[in-house]
Amino acid sequence: MFTHPEYDGHEAVLHAHDPATGLMAIVALHSTRLGPAFGGCRMYPYAEPAQALTDALRLARGMTYKAAICELPYGGGKSVILADPRRDKSPELLRAMGQVIEGLGGRYITADDVGTTLADLAVMREVTKHTAGATAAAQEPLAVTAYGVLMAIEAAVRHYYQRSEFTGLRFAVQGLGNVGYPLCEHLHARGAALVVSDVDPARTAKAASELQAEVAGPEAIYGETADVFAPCALGAVLNDRTVPMLRVRLVCGAANNQLAEWRHDTLLAERGIAFVPDYLANAGGVIDFHQEAIDDRPEAVLASVERVRDITADLLARAAVTGETPLQVADRIVRDRIRAPR
């Protein structure tokens, strides 16, 4: 465990098993230095338990960084359930997971994620109070993550292209799920041209029909000539194979852990491609969770998410002065905040 390539001083990693319900889960707490660890509960049919551990470790660390870069009073955590949500999900299994979370005594607050829903959180709340999605506003659809990515893009386009409008810019968007598609709607409304990719042809057909998007294949999207590449699907898509294929100046998207390895940030920079840290661009969810406890009106939530634009602008300005990449600057800011005395 302590020699795992994704281990980063995580405070705790819990392996949970409940034979009665079939629950097999991992909970990773990266840091509670700034507050309780916040992060979603993912349910996915991992081929190997080692893949689940890697996911939990990486995603928990990312949550710490999201909260810290946005100066929110949370740490980072993640839970993963090794199961197929279409086949294995049951109220009993969800309650068993809720009991695991309750046993952590408030050190970890969970949320919905890949394979879990707000309805699943409601079942968990039968046995634990430590979940997101408990307010009335949380039950209303509001694409906060997509809006946060839009804010990051807005700041980056202003910095690198000296433009406040998207008309005449071309965006290559990978992934048209719950974040990617609303992001495309925002971009289209702002006059951007779109080329999109998704493994589901129904989604790309919808984008072509409703948003006049061009469609590229899952591999071809990397080689599309565009101004911005927005990864909004899987992680680790920026790697030794794909970085040389990119024909953009800027990468800014919603996917978690977009870099296969940290060195790929340097590889992008060597090619003249700026990378907006993914943990900043996709921080809308944790901002939303925090804001709903203060003022849960949709307009107040979206206004709070707009801080992503200001933080991104400041980050890019600092990087321009120091000659570092935006990710290097962001990582340093986060580490300083985590280490600072409370």
Side-chain angles (χ1 to χ4, degrees), residues 41-255:
C41 177
R42 178 166 295 194
M43 185 181 296
Y44 189 79
Y46 295 95
E48 299 289 342
Q51 295 174 356
L53 177 60
T54 295
D55 238 8
L57 293 174
R58 292 196 78 183
L59 293 167
R61 179 186 184 277
M63 290 305 300
T64 294
Y65 278 56
K66 287 183 197 189
I69 197 65
C70 294
E71 297 188 86
L72 297 174
Y74 307 106
K78 201 74 178 184
S79 54
V80 296
I81 300 174
L82 289 76
D84 186 336
R86 296 168 297 182
R87 184 188 66 231
D88 304 320
K89 187 186 295 185
S90 69
E92 293 77 17
L93 184 142
L94 293 169
R95 290 189 196 98
M97 187 66 206
Q99 289 169 340
V100 171
I101 294 166
E102 181 66 19
L104 292 169
R107 292 180 68 197
Y108 170 59
I109 303 168
T110 196
D112 54 309
D113 200 276
V114 175
T116 60
T117 66
L118 291 174
D120 297 333
L121 295 183
V123 176
M124 292 184 191
R125 281 197 299 276
E126 295 175 13
V127 294
T128 183
K129 62 183 179 181
H130 305 299
T131 80
T135 68
Q139 310 307 313
E140 299 299 322
L142 191 63
V144 290
T145 302
Y147 191 66
V149 176
L150 179 72
M151 293 297 98
I153 289 174
E154 188 176 295
V157 165
R158 184 180 294 273
H159 181 89
Y160 291 109
Y161 292 104
Q162 292 77 52
R163 299 180 60 164
S164 59
E165 298 298 326
F166 297 163
T167 302
L169 296 180
R170 192 168 192 250
F171 289 77
V173 181
Q174 179 189 52
L176 298 176
N178 293 334
V179 179
Y181 200 88
L183 175 62
C184 286
E185 291 179 315
H186 283 301
L187 296 172
H188 175 70
R190 298 277 292 271
L194 299 171
V195 55
V196 300
S197 176
D198 194 280
V199 294
D200 184 347
R203 292 176 176 175
T204 55
K206 181 181 179 184
S209 173
E210 296 182 353
L211 308 177
Q212 291 75 59
E214 297 179 38
V215 176
E219 284 298 308
I221 193 70
Y222 296 107
E224 287 287 336
T225 300
D227 298 288
V228 181
F229 175 51
C232 297
L234 301 175
V237 296
L238 301 173
N239 52 53
D240 288 337
R241 182 180 63 84
T242 61
V243 169
M245 298 169 63
L246 296 178
R247 301 171 69 184
V248 297
R249 185 178 177 187
L250 174 64
V251 175
C252 183

